[in-house]
Amino acid sequence: TCKRTSFSQAIDACIFICDPVIAAHFYHIRSLLVDLRMHITFLRRNMTDADALVEDAFASIAFQRVSTILSTFTEMVQHIAPERDRLHSLQFLLVDLGVLNETFAVLRLPWGRKSIFADVGKGCRTGDVLLNPQAPTLLQMAFAFLEMLVLENGDMQAMLLEHNDLFLSYMDVAGLSVETLFAAMVRNNLDHIQRHGKEWCDRVFENVMRGRHFDTAQLSLISALAECNGQAVKEVQDYVRSKIQTNRSLEALLAQNHIEDPCEVDLDLERLKIETQGNWLLLLACISNSKDPAATVFAERFVSIEWLIESFLLIPDSWNSSAVGNRWKFALLTCVIQIYLHAES
C-alpha cells in the first residue's frame, strides 16, 4: 500500500478543494475508480488459471475496460502537464484516491508465462511471452499511466522506485517496453541514477544478448542513465563504454543497424532501423564526450567525422517532412558536436 500524502490528509480533514479543475478531476476519478476496482477484482478472482480467461467474454470486457480507464487517467495527466502546480496536485490525487494501488494490482495479476528459446537443444532462453494475448496491451497502458504519474515529480519517482523489483520482472517479457518507464523514474534525478543506473544497464545488456538485438527503448534508457539535467553522469558513461568494449558481441549488435548511405534506405520500409540507429548515435554522443580522449577513441570505432558529415549531406529531401528523418539529422549533428568538436575548434 502506498504512503498517504498531505493532500490525502487534507481531504480527510474536509478541506475544500478550491481549484475548480482539480475538483472536477476529483469527482471524475472517483466515478471511474468504482468501475476500475470492479473489473480488477473480477480478474483477480478468476485468473488462477492463466489459460482460462483467454476465450472468456466477461474477461475480455474487463481487460478492455481496465485498459480504457487507465488510458483516460493517462490523458488526464497529459492534458494538465503544462501547468506544473496542477500537475503535482493531480498526481498526488491519483495516488491518494487509490489509482496507483489499483495499477499495481494489475501488474501483480497472475499472468501466465512461458519461456522463449532460440535453440531448444542448447536451452538458449531469449525471454518470456505472456500466455494471454490481451495482457501486453493492458500492461503497456499501465506502464504509460505510471510514466505520466512520475512526470516532473521527484516524490512520485521515489515512490515508484520502491517497487523496482516488480517492474524489473517485466523487463524480459516479449511485446512489452518497460524501459521508457525506467527512464521516467530517474529523469533529472542524479541520486536515483546513481542508485539504479548500473543495475539497469546490466539488465538491458543481458536482454540484448538474449534477444540478439537492441531496440530504441533500450538505447533511450541507457542515454537517460548516462546524462542528467544536461550533465554527464561519468560513472555510468564509463561503465557503459567498458561493458561494450569488453564484449565483442555487444559491439557487433550495435553496429548491425549501421546505415552506410541514407539514399539507399527507404524511409517507409526501414523506419525502425533508422530510428534505432538514430538512438544509438545519440547514446554514442552521450557517452563519448570530446573532453575525454579515451571516449573519443571509443566513438571512432563506430563513426568517423567523414561518415557523419557525408550522411548529413546525403539525407534525401523526402526525410525532411518526417519526425524520424529529422531525429536522424539531429543525431548526426549531435555526434559531430559531442565527439569531434573541441573548444579550440
Side-chain angles (χ1 to χ4, degrees):
T1 302
C2 299
K3 298 176 182 177
R4 303 191 70 191
T5 68
S6 57
F7 196 88
S8 173
Q9 296 167 5
I11 293 175
D12 287 345
C14 298
I15 295 178
F16 183 70
I17 302 176
C18 299
D19 189 323
V21 174
I22 299 300
H25 283 313
F26 172 77
Y27 291 109
H28 191 196
I29 292 168
R30 286 209 309 181
S31 65
L32 290 173
L33 197 53
V34 173
D35 200 18
L36 181 66
R37 283 175 174 151
M38 178 183 69
H39 290 297
I40 292 176
T41 299
F42 170 83
L43 292 173
R44 188 188 296 118
R45 290 175 178 173
N46 291 275
M47 284 184 68
T48 53
D49 183 351
D51 293 322
L53 290 179
V54 174
E55 302 296 334
D56 189 296
F58 291 105
S60 296
I61 293 172
F63 281 124
Q64 184 177 1
R65 282 300 297 155
V66 173
S67 182
T68 300
I69 293 170
L70 288 176
S71 175
T72 300
F73 288 144
T74 303
E75 292 170 2
M76 190 183 291
V77 181
Q78 286 175 328
H79 181 73
I80 210 170
E83 305 173 68
R84 190 179 182 86
D85 291 340
R86 281 178 169 169
L87 170 64
H88 287 182
S89 294
L90 180 57
Q91 289 167 327
F92 289 132
L93 185 61
L94 287 162
V95 172
D96 294 331
L97 292 181
V99 178
L100 180 57
N101 281 334
E102 295 304 321
T103 307
F104 284 146
V106 170
L107 298 181
R108 292 191 175 101
L109 286 171
W111 304 109
R113 300 187 185 191
K114 67 177 180 181
S115 295
I116 307 170
F117 295 91
D119 188 328
V120 178
K122 295 181 179 179
C124 300
R125 176 178 171 273
T126 60
D128 293 338
V129 63
L130 298 175
L131 298 178
N132 193 306
Q134 299 179 85
T137 301
L138 175 55
L139 290 169
Q140 205 60 60
M141 187 55 65
F143 294 138
F145 167 67
L146 293 175
E147 285 177 46
M148 296 308 301
L149 200 64
V150 301
L151 180 66
E152 298 181 20
N153 193 322
D155 292 335
M156 286 297 174
Q157 290 178 340
M159 187 181 294
L160 260 64
L161 283 170
E162 293 177 5
H163 304 270
N164 180 49
D165 290 342
L166 175 62
F167 303 131
L168 283 174
S169 70
Y170 283 101
M171 206 173 198
D172 58 352
V173 175
L176 295 182
S177 179
V178 194
E179 288 83 3
T180 51
L181 173 58
F182 281 110
M185 287 194 294
V186 298
R187 186 162 289 118
N188 301 330
N189 197 315
L190 183 59
D191 289 340
H192 294 168
I193 291 175
Q194 291 174 334
R195 282 177 55 200
H196 299 283
K198 290 183 178 180
E199 175 193 11
W200 291 355
C201 284
D202 284 340
R203 285 297 295 267
V204 168
F205 289 137
E206 288 172 11
N207 289 342
V208 166
M209 292 305 299
R210 282 201 295 260
R212 308 303 300 171
H213 78 281
F214 275 94
D215 62 36
T216 57
Q218 292 168 330
L219 294 168
S220 295
L221 172 57
I222 299 175
S223 294
L225 296 171
E227 190 173 272
C228 180
N229 285 322
Q231 300 297 316
V233 184
K234 193 173 187 305
E235 180 182 0
V236 174
Q237 292 184 357
D238 292 344
Y239 187 72
V240 172
R241 287 200 308 273
S242 174
K243 294 286 286 188
I244 296 172
Q245 286 174 319
T246 56
N247 191 319
R248 291 294 179 88
S249 296
L250 274 178
E251 190 171 325
L253 289 171
L254 285 165
Q256 71 180 2
N257 285 315
H258 184 72
I259 297 173
E260 191 63 40
D261 185 351
C263 292
E264 298 178 357
V265 178
D266 188 309
L267 180 62
D268 294 324
L269 296 178
E270 300 190 74
R271 182 178 298 270
L272 182 59
K273 179 177 180 178
I274 298 167
E275 187 176 358
T276 302
Q277 174 70 0
N279 277 26
W280 161 233
L281 291 176
L282 290 171
L283 173 59
L284 188 62
C286 181
I287 63 176
S288 305
N289 192 296
S290 60
K291 295 178 182 178
D292 185 343
T296 303
V297 171
F298 169 81
E300 288 174 338
R301 295 164 63 176
F302 297 93
V303 295
S304 65
I305 184 67
E306 293 82 8
W307 176 81
L308 290 168
I309 294 174
E310 183 178 5
S311 294
F312 186 84
L313 295 175
L314 290 176
I315 292 176
D317 292 339
S318 59
W319 288 30
N320 293 327
S321 58
S322 164
V324 175
N326 286 325
R327 183 173 176 79
W328 167 258
K329 290 193 293 185
F330 174 74
L332 293 171
L333 289 175
T334 302
C335 274
V336 171
I337 295 169
Q338 290 284 88
I339 300 171
Y340 291 103
L341 291 188
H342 300 265
E344 63 272 15
S345 297

